[in-house]
Amino acid sequence: MPLKAPETAPTASIAFDRLLIIMDDLRANCPWDKKQTLESLRHLTIEETYELSDAILGGDMPEIKKEIGDIMLHLVFYAKIASETNDFTITDVLNGVCDKLINRHPHIYGDIEVQNEEDVKRNWEQIKLKEGNKSVLGGVPASLPALVKASRIQEKARGVGFDWEEKSQVWAKVEEEMQEFKNEFNAEDESTIDHEKAEAEFGDLLFSLINYARFININPENALEKTNKKFIKRFQYLELKAQENGKQLHDMSLAEMDIFWDEAKKL
């Protein structure tokens, strides 16, 4: 029988225990849930994470709550599968993260003093090295999207003091990389352009722009995604207006499309 909600609002521990009981029931009795493995859930978890990201960027609190629940379910599911092979349990997972947080916050649970957020980040990275990490950058997942990975690499390097001192220095680097990228395309004969080198210079330019964004407290992933959404909204308006005028985009001139594009920018 389905579990009924209690008459009064449950505490967090009661609600979490309810989720664990439901997970046990599903794993034992649902044909789909019984078949799942760590590997089969992986791509679904990635999808759920992106859905949470979309909800956050959209400022949709009800949707954020829903997506957090979906991800929580996945985490419990992974722990349930691992418990069946006696590798670890959800209790091991929770105690493990609690121990890690206590160990990595000596300014809260120990006698270390910090002055600001940067001190906390610096301590965090130093503690990770003491725990056995061979490199400060070792904790950056190899499969992260390149834009996010660049941000994480730079943040971790900053955590041990490897960083520019002033944002003006970073912007100078952006301009230097922009010029180097432009230099690769100044040849009059396009056949002489070294596209592999140009690609490398473009990568350097992007990396330096991401670095500058970090210095002025802009999340480059969020900034680019908001621009993506803005472009999609405007382009779909363009498609709609073309349809209303009985036209197809591929039959319109750029000047004609620009009229609707400018209208979309004013919405």
Side-chain angles (χ1 to χ4, degrees), residues 12-68:
S13 59
I14 292 174
F16 191 69
D17 191 53
R18 183 182 181 210
L19 176 59
L20 296 179
I21 293 171
I22 292 173
M23 185 73 258
D24 289 343
D25 288 342
L26 296 180
R27 188 65 172 169
N29 300 307
C30 174
W32 185 87
D33 289 278
K34 289 165 68 174
K35 288 181 60 177
Q36 300 313 305
T37 65
L38 299 178
E39 291 77 13
S40 69
L41 289 173
R42 176 181 173 274
H43 75 282
L44 298 175
T45 306
I46 294 172
E47 181 179 329
E48 295 292 354
T49 303
Y50 278 109
E51 289 177 359
L52 173 60
S53 175
D54 286 344
I56 292 172
L57 288 179
D60 188 338
M61 294 306 293
E63 192 66 15
I64 291 172
K65 181 183 74 170
K66 170 182 172 294
E67 297 302 341
I68 290 174

Side-chain angles (χ1 to χ4, degrees), residues 57-156:
L57 288 179
D60 188 338
M61 294 306 293
E63 192 66 15
I64 291 172
K65 181 183 74 170
K66 170 182 172 294
E67 297 302 341
I68 290 174
D70 290 344
I71 291 176
M72 188 74 70
L73 170 61
H74 279 238
L75 302 181
V76 167
F77 209 150
Y78 287 123
K80 175 62 178 178
I81 293 172
S83 71
E84 294 168 354
T85 55
N86 295 318
D87 285 295
F88 57 82
T89 67
I90 189 65
T91 302
D92 297 328
V93 171
L94 296 175
N95 281 330
V97 72
C98 287
D99 291 342
K100 180 173 71 173
L101 288 173
I102 291 171
N103 186 51
R104 294 188 185 177
H105 289 79
H107 54 289
I108 302 296
Y109 302 104
D111 54 5
I112 300 297
E113 294 185 4
V114 297
Q115 300 299 319
N116 50 42
E117 176 189 0
E118 293 304 318
D119 286 349
V120 174
K121 290 181 179 179
R122 192 174 300 109
N123 286 341
W124 183 281
E125 295 301 337
Q126 291 173 351
I127 292 170
K128 287 178 67 175
L129 289 174
K130 291 179 181 178
E131 291 174 348
N133 285 25
K134 295 181 179 179
S135 169
V136 168
L137 304 181
V140 180
S143 58
L144 273 180
L147 186 65
V148 180
K149 185 187 294 186
S151 295
R152 294 297 293 136
I153 288 171
Q154 293 168 6
E155 288 170 2
K156 286 184 173 294

